[in-house]
Amino acid sequence: AQSVTQLDSQVPVFEEAPVELRCNYSSSVSVYLFWYVQYPNQGLQLLLKYLSGSTLVKGINGFEAEFNKSQTSFHLRKPSVHISDTAEYFCAVKVGRTSGSRLTFGEGTQLTVNP
Amino acid sequence: DTGVSQDPRHKITKRGQNVTFRCDPISEHNRLYWYRQTLGQGPEFLTYFQNEAQLEKSRLLSDRFSAERPKGSFSTLEIQRTEQGDSAMYLCASSLQFPRNTIYFGEGSWLTVV
């Protein structure tokens, strides 16, 4: 069974600083990878996804992520964060065709941007 | 596009009561999903429909849980004989063919069992 590990439960940063949220997955077969953001009392919004092709994926709000197959990682980065980026971020994986349409989520990383 | 709608947004119920949540997906989305999210955790897959057919169910979906999508449009999730452990946010989502197309989530229905 696939699993997703988000290595940091909380990441505090100052405004305009760069940030990296780390995600590792376990799977020996092809995967599709996703990052979602959740603001308080709201549902999840897709930031970006990797299905195939270029390993560097650009998403909304200036976020990007790099798929590293050898390290089974999909870390999320932003070069300069804003106060409004404060939210919970979830990494998720879908494994090939064997898992149907289910997404497996990590436990989340709370990003707090301080002034 | 009005997004995925869920109702009610919050529900407080006594242990042992039945509750039902409704989800209206984005129109023309043939796939509909239910997830459960507890505090401090990521969402966990419960079940999904393609049109009116329930194609996949998680082991988390015990016999007390039942989901329907009778006409391939809105869906209901019923929990019978609620337990305190059922307290969570129940998220509905919809999509066209996945993973090529995005899964869009609703704002969730919070359930508190007292």
Side-chain angles (χ1 to χ4, degrees):
Chain A
Q2 66 272 23
S3 67
V4 179
T5 303
Q6 293 186 238
L7 298 162
D8 306 291
S9 60
Q10 296 191 26
V11 173
V13 294
F14 287 109
E15 194 174 16
E16 298 183 5
V19 71
E20 178 179 80
L21 306 184
R22 298 180 293 167
C23 173
N24 285 90
Y25 65 92
S26 65
S27 175
S28 59
V29 297
S30 64
V31 295
Y32 305 111
L33 295 156
F34 306 81
W35 275 99
Y36 282 84
V37 60
Q38 186 175 35
Y39 298 101
N41 299 316
Q42 294 188 23
L44 285 77
Q45 180 183 9
L46 180 69
L47 278 176
L48 47 80
K49 61 184 177 183
Y50 170 79
L51 302 184
S52 65
S54 173
T55 57
L56 183 62
V57 180
K58 293 189 182 298
I60 63 171
N61 301 340
F63 284 93
E64 63 181 32
E66 186 158 18
F67 170 57
N68 188 318
K69 187 175 181 179
S70 63
Q71 296 187 0
T72 61
S73 68
F74 190 56
H75 300 333
L76 181 71
R77 302 185 183 101
K78 186 171 182 177
S80 176
V81 295
H82 301 289
I83 298 286
S84 59
D85 291 323
T86 295
E88 188 90 19
Y89 291 79
F90 292 96
C91 181
V93 62
K94 171 182 156 37
V95 177
R97 294 185 177 184
T98 60
S99 63
S101 278
R102 72 172 63 198
L103 278 172
T104 299
F105 285 86
E107 294 190 348
T109 298
Q110 173 64 43
L111 174 65
T112 302
V113 181
N114 298 301
Chain B
D1 179 357
T2 58
V4 178
S5 299
Q6 293 190 243
D7 183 69
R9 292 292 315 280
H10 298 91
K11 178 73 175 179
I12 300 174
T13 191
K14 292 184 178 180
R15 189 174 51 186
Q17 298 295 304
N18 299 344
V19 296
T20 299
F21 299 110
R22 175 180 170 125
C23 172
D24 287 273
I26 294 171
S27 58
E28 299 177 355
H29 279 190
N30 59 343
R31 294 193 176 191
L32 186 147
Y33 314 80
W34 286 99
Y35 283 79
R36 182 175 71 184
Q37 185 179 20
T38 54
L39 282 174
Q41 301 294 316
E44 297 173 293
F45 174 82
L46 292 178
T47 187
Y48 104 92
F49 294 83
Q50 180 157 307
N51 300 312
E52 66 275 11
Q54 189 173 20
L55 296 187
E56 195 173 347
K57 292 168 64 174
S58 163
R59 284 173 292 182
L60 293 175
L61 214 65
S62 75
D63 291 345
R64 297 184 297 105
F65 288 70
S66 63
E68 295 183 345
R69 195 183 183 197
K71 297 183 179 179
S73 57
F74 74 92
S75 174
T76 58
L77 177 68
E78 181 183 18
I79 309 173
Q80 296 182 327
R81 305 181 303 282
T82 52
E83 303 173 355
Q84 286 188 322
D86 296 331
S87 295
M89 181 162 69
Y90 292 85
L91 287 161
C92 179
S94 71
S95 75
L96 295 169
Q97 191 76 10
F98 177 74
R100 184 174 184 178
N101 292 282
T102 299
I103 292 181
Y104 291 91
F105 283 83
E107 295 191 341
S109 292
W110 277 104
L111 173 65
T112 302
V113 181
V114 297

